Amino acid sequence: MKKSTFLISTGLLASFLLINNPRVYAASTTTTPSPATAETPISAPLELPTNGGSNPTPPSNTKDPASSSDPGNKSNNPTVAFGIAYEPGTFTIPSTKLLETGSQTIPVTMPQNSGTFDVGVKDKTRETMGWSLKAQVVWDNGEKGMSIQTAHTGTNAKVNTGNGQLVDAPAGSVTAVPNVEITSDAQVLLMSGTQGFVHNDTYDYGLGQVSLKIADTKTTPAGTHTGHVEWNLSVSP
């Protein structure tokens, strides 16, 4: 009987201590926060500049020449962030007598207004896609054995700073192919943008001295041969 009385008394004492010491109860219920984390959303809609960014002046040109016989490099003024910014206005081959036999190379008249032949690729997307610039000759009468020989030196390209001035392209941004022969057989690669690099420039491929290359003059008919170079820019897979 005494043992039971002691147990009951102990229980009453414990209840009395909890009621009269609130700090013991508070400590056991507030050390774990709920909620322990919270979030505030952020929304920042950022858009590319007008036309995807400024369009550059072609190298050495103060403006697009009006002369059809000496147009230099022709600006396309792209209205988006990705496109062919400019290309040679025309390739004029001077009147030349064919050799009796063998191959023949005839230099294209360099433009007086610009002094250079260039192709520019505007990539101001600020994205990391890869791309390829290719070219192909299309003759109006399906001529064979005649091509356009370029003379780009090295595997580096330039960046057009916007006013026609050229500086070295950032390391790893683009790769150029030297001494490309542009034929009518298939498109050939001139310059490629590196996938994984953040592009925000206009890349310039200088063609150097351009020439008409005739593989076999013995079978080439005399007369005026006309056609065009087709420049093709595409996103690389």
Side-chain angles (χ1 to χ4, degrees):
M1 189 68 176
K2 291 179 179 180
K3 183 176 181 180
S4 299
T5 302
F6 175 77
L7 291 174
I8 294 171
S9 299
T10 301
L12 292 172
L13 178 61
S15 299
F16 175 80
L17 290 174
L18 287 173
I19 293 171
N20 289 276
N21 190 2
R23 287 178 297 174
V24 176
Y25 177 77
S28 65
T29 59
T30 61
T31 54
T32 302
S34 179
T37 61
E39 296 180 354
T40 298
I42 298 174
S43 178
L46 304 177
E47 299 180 359
L48 290 174
T50 302
N51 296 333
S54 60
N55 291 318
T57 300
S60 301
N61 282 2
T62 57
K63 62 180 180 179
D64 290 335
S67 171
S68 60
S69 61
D70 187 21
N73 294 309
K74 174 181 173 292
S75 178
N76 299 320
N77 293 316
T79 58
V80 293
F82 182 57
I84 299 176
Y86 50 82
E87 72 282 337
T90 188
F91 288 146
T92 301
I93 293 90
S95 180
T96 305
K97 293 184 182 298
L98 288 167
L99 298 177
E100 296 243 357
T101 60
S103 62
Q104 187 172 2
T105 299
I106 306 170
V108 171
T109 302
M110 297 299 289
Q112 295 179 0
N113 288 311
S114 65
T116 62
F117 288 125
D118 301 80
V119 183
V121 172
K122 177 184 177 181
D123 184 356
K124 294 192 174 183
T125 60
R126 310 185 191 198
E127 297 181 3
T128 58
M129 64 182 180
W131 46 261
S132 298
L133 175 68
K134 297 181 179 180
Q136 184 175 8
V137 174
V138 179
W139 294 108
D140 292 340
N141 294 308
E143 286 91 337
K144 298 295 182 182
M146 292 197 298
S147 59
I148 295 295
Q149 180 66 53
T150 67
H152 181 90
T153 57
T155 58
N156 298 322
K158 299 288 186 179
V159 160
N160 189 321
T161 60
N163 57 0
Q165 299 301 309
L166 304 178
V167 298
D168 291 337
S173 59
V174 290
T175 300
V177 181
N179 303 317
V180 174
E181 182 180 359
I182 307 174
T183 71
S184 59
D185 298 329
Q187 292 185 356
V188 291
L189 178 67
L190 295 107
M191 180 171 60
S192 57
T194 304
Q195 185 177 10
F197 188 94
V198 178
H199 295 284
N200 189 17
D201 281 305
T202 296
Y203 302 97
D204 183 276
Y205 181 92
L207 297 171
Q209 175 61 65
V210 177
S211 302
L212 174 69
K213 186 176 180 180
I214 303 173
D216 186 3
T217 58
K218 187 173 183 178
T219 59
T220 300
T224 300
H225 300 270
T226 59
H228 64 272
V229 174
E230 182 177 280
W231 312 96
N232 183 275
L233 177 63
S234 60
V235 175
S236 300

